[in-house]
């Protein structure tokens, strides 16, 4: 069988044959057929907008790999900083490289005093931490005028270090502001996750439990990248205009803020709280199925149509965390929901399974994070993924400024009607 596809324009009889590589064929075939012909593909369901060598995802088989390494192995054996290096550089670091990378990131954890005193202190007292984070990422860019030099490798590398290193600092700062607590400066003697937990929770003496430090790191690893999701696509689209990486990352974070994306774990905990007891689970699911109520948050995925491998790892991490913190009372409702939904034809026939957000919220809550911080916790590690894709985009000779076309369905030309005649 030839690995080609032939498209025939029945209006003209013209046909174009192009190769299929890895199940992808170039849209230039359509251009060749008729430059005024466009493909209608809302939400890019069938469109590969770029080539990427960063993350491999097979939704049918439930496979997720960063640079070829299975997520299960990375979650078991690696650390977030090592994974960030891997995503950005394509290979695992050797001992010297990892040491240097850790030192470099650690050196950049502090932020300019004005970021806190003048910028963050200006937010309204009940500002949502994710809204604060989104704006803080963009504001951070104003402190580094060299960030505009995106053609300069040295400058790019510097901004990457800054963004990865300062995200936990910004995140903790936004939380401490909303809780009315004094800001805790980074402690560069601590690991990346321990430093974050310390900035979050330190009041008087505080020591990070190594089991919780590890759980935080695993959660960071699981969220570090997920190929062309909504946030990463925002990063690429804004990055394609050659905006600086802070502006692009702020738009990626904005996309992540939405409840259908990174906001889902917050929605899961709210949903479980609303359900209230295991007895209410069947009635709640009936509402979901009838379309009267909400969707079952934390279920379903655009790509995973079998299981989300991150959900399996997270369930195990939840057990480790609950050993230290005690069991989250919402867990029983979640387990019941999962059990009933997975045996219900509505969910089975639509291939709806728990996604990464179904259990992550329960862990975050057990760790003490308020629900409003959940998406912030997602944004910290996803920064590595955003930046890896940004780098890849800038090096990709096929890329230009993102500019999709539209199918115009509005009215035809008509004459302006003066106000007196309307
Ligand atoms: N609960 C109930 N029904 C659902 C759900 C759900 N969570 N998700 C999808 N469906 C139904 C839809 O109503 C639709 O049914 P229909 O064919 O009868 O109309 C069918 O399943 C297909 O759904 P789509 O909306 O076409 O699926 P899509 O791929 O566009 O959506 C999404 C994926 C947004 C994740 C969706 O499953 C959803 O809204 N889930 C809940 C929110 C969530 O958990 N998001 C986190 C995703 S993971 C992440 O971003 C990190």
């Amino acid at each position: 069988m030839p690995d080609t596809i032939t498209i025939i324009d029945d209006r003209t009889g013209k046909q174009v044959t192009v190769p299929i590589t890895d199940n992808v064929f170039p849209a230039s075939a359509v251009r060749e057929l008729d430059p005024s012909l466009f493909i209608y593909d809302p939400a890019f369901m069938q469109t590969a907008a770029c080539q990427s060598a960063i993350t491999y995802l097979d939704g049918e088989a439930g496979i997720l790999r960063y640079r070829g390494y299975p997520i299960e192995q990375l979650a078991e054996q690696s650390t977030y900083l090592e994974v960030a290096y891997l995503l950005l550089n394509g290979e695992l670091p050797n001992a010297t490289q990892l040491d240097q990378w850790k030192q470099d990131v650690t050196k950049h954890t502090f932020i300019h005093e004005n970021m806190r005193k003048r910028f963050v202190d200006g937010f309204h007292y009940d500002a949502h931490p994710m809204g604060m984070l989104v704006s803080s990422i963009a504001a951070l860019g104003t402190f580094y005028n060299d960030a505009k030099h995106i053609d300069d490798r040295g400058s790019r590398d510097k901004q990457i270090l800054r963004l990865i290193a300062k995200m936990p600092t910004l995140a903790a700062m936004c939380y401490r502001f909303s809780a009315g607590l004094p800001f805790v400066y980074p402690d560069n003697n601590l690991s990346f996750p321990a430093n974050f937990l310390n900035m979050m929770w330190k009041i008087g003496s505080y020591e990070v439990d190594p089991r919780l430090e590890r759980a935080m790191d695993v959660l960071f690893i699981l969220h570090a990248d997920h190929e062309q999701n909504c946030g990463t696509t925002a990063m690429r689209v804004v990055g394609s205009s050659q905006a600086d990486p802070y502006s692009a990352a702020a738009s990626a974070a904005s996309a992540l803020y939405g409840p259908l994306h990174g906001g889902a774990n917050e929605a899961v905990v709210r949903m479980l709280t609303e359900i209230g007891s295991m007895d209410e689970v069947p009635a709640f699911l009936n509402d979901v199925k009838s379309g009267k109520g909400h969707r079952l948050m934390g279920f379903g995925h655009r790509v995973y149509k079998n299981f989300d491998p991150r959900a399996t790892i997270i369930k195990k991490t939840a057990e480790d965390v609950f050993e230290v913190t005690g069991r989250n009372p919402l867990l029983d409702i979640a387990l019941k929901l999962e059990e009933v939904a997975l045996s219900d034809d509505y969910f089975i026939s639509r291939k709806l399974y728990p996604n990464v957000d179904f259990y992550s919220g329960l862990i975050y809550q057990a760790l003490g994070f308020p629900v409003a911080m959940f998406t912030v916790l997602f944004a910290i590690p996803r920064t590595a993924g955003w930046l890896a894709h940004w780098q890849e985009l800038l090096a990709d000779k096929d890329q230009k400024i993102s500019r999709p076309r539209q199918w115009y369905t509005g009215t035809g030309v008509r004459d302006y009607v003066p106000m007196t005649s309307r």
Side-chain angles (χ1 to χ4, degrees):
M1 241 194 336
D3 279 345
T4 55
I5 189 166
T6 300
I7 310 171
I8 304 170
D9 186 341
D10 291 328
R11 300 167 306 173
T12 58
K14 186 174 175 188
Q15 68 177 58
V16 172
T17 301
V18 284
I20 300 177
T21 316
D22 297 336
N23 249 15
V24 179
F25 74 90
S28 58
V30 177
R31 206 157 43 238
E32 216 180 296
L33 208 55
D34 175 355
S36 66
L37 196 63
F38 295 104
I39 294 167
Y40 179 55
D41 188 16
F44 313 118
M45 297 278 289
Q46 219 60 31
T47 298
C50 61
Q51 293 189 31
S52 183
I54 300 172
T55 288
Y56 176 76
L57 209 169
D58 180 338
E60 290 298 329
I63 292 173
L64 172 62
R65 297 181 199 135
Y66 297 158
R67 300 283 188 186
Y69 295 102
I71 192 67
E72 293 80 2
Q73 292 182 21
L74 293 170
E76 182 77 32
Q77 300 173 55
S78 186
T79 62
Y80 167 67
L81 275 191
E82 187 180 50
V83 163
Y85 182 100
L86 170 70
L87 288 169
L88 286 157
N89 298 288
E91 297 298 333
L92 285 169
N94 62 28
T96 319
Q97 289 166 326
L98 183 60
D99 241 32
Q100 186 63 48
W101 169 244
K102 279 193 205 159
Q103 265 182 45
D104 290 344
V105 171
T106 307
K107 246 185 0 221
H108 286 90
T109 52
F110 279 72
I111 53 171
H112 195 289
E113 281 289 281
N114 282 352
M115 264 305 286
R116 179 179 64 87
K117 288 192 182 141
R118 310 191 80 129
F119 187 77
V120 171
D121 277 2
F123 280 111
H124 198 48
Y125 72 94
D126 62 352
H128 193 291
M130 190 59 188
M132 293 165 73
L133 183 74
V134 164
S135 343
S136 302
I137 298 170
L140 191 63
T142 65
F143 289 83
Y144 306 111
N145 285 331
D146 57 331
K148 288 179 180 50
H149 306 308
I150 60 157
D151 293 330
D152 173 356
R153 168 88 200 259
S155 165
R156 281 203 307 271
D157 287 350
K158 193 64 145 310
Q159 315 316 324
I160 287 172
L161 274 176
R162 284 173 172 152
L163 269 159
I164 288 179
K166 292 180 203 307
M167 279 297 278
T169 316
L170 292 180
M173 184 176 64
C174 294
Y175 165 72
R176 306 276 302 196
F177 174 82
S178 32
L181 290 167
F183 180 57
V184 174
Y185 286 98
D187 181 342
N188 288 345
N189 295 311
L190 298 175
S191 72
F192 189 89
N195 173 44
F196 172 59
L197 292 171
N198 189 59
M199 288 189 289
M200 282 291 301
W201 307 125
K202 189 179 170 73
I203 299 174
S205 64
Y206 169 76
E207 219 169 289
V208 181
D209 185 306
R211 291 167 294 178
L212 301 185
E213 173 184 351
R214 179 62 196 157
M216 197 73 248
D217 216 24
V218 170
L219 287 159
F220 284 163
I221 292 170
L222 296 184
H223 288 89
D225 193 45
H226 211 234
E227 53 119 304
Q228 313 307 321
N229 55 81
C230 183
T232 303
T233 300
M235 181 86 194
R236 280 181 174 267
V237 169
V238 176
S240 78
S241 75
Q242 302 192 347
D244 69 83
Y246 299 89
S247 306
S251 42
S254 306
L256 194 65
Y257 195 1
L260 295 189
H261 191 8
N265 49 15
E266 179 174 342
V268 170
V269 170
R270 290 193 203 288
M271 175 187 77
L272 296 174
T273 311
E274 208 177 288
I275 296 172
S277 85
M278 279 159 69
D279 297 343
E280 297 299 325
V281 165
F284 180 83
L285 286 180
N286 280 339
D287 274 359
V288 168
K289 291 191 290 180
S290 70
K292 274 192 295 181
H294 289 296
R295 286 190 162 196
L296 178 51
M297 299 312 285
F299 259 65
H301 198 274
R302 172 59 57 78
V303 183
Y304 293 119
K305 301 297 177 192
N306 183 337
F307 69 97
D308 180 340
R310 300 167 303 171
T312 318
I313 301 166
I314 273 200
K315 217 169 155 182
K316 158 88 183 61
T317 308
E319 284 161 21
D320 299 344
V321 168
F322 296 157
E323 243 174 56
V324 184
T325 63
R327 198 176 158 89
N328 186 327
L330 296 178
L331 180 67
D332 292 327
I333 303 176
L335 289 169
K336 182 80 184 162
L337 265 179
E338 183 181 351
E339 180 198 315
V340 179
L342 291 183
S343 57
D344 188 304
D345 188 54
Y346 175 94
F347 297 95
I348 296 170
S349 62
R350 287 170 179 78
K351 300 188 171 186
L352 301 170
Y353 296 89
N355 59 47
V356 68
D357 288 321
F358 194 65
Y359 286 102
S360 63
L362 295 181
I363 306 182
Y364 294 151
Q365 207 174 39
L367 287 169
F369 293 101
V371 280
M373 276 297 285
F374 290 1
T375 317
V376 172
L377 297 170
F378 193 154
I380 295 172
R382 185 50 62 85
T383 304
W386 293 334
L387 291 165
H389 283 272
W390 175 67
Q391 269 194 159
E392 190 175 60
L393 163 92
L394 295 181
D396 185 345
K397 298 279 174 278
D398 283 351
Q399 292 294 334
K400 292 169 181 281
I401 185 166
S402 284
R403 203 323 185 170
R405 304 303 293 253
Q406 66 166 6
W407 176 0
Y408 179 71
T409 56
T411 173
V413 66
R414 47 183 170 169
D415 287 326
Y416 179 79
V417 182
M419 190 59 83
T420 48
S421 314
R422 279 182 234 165

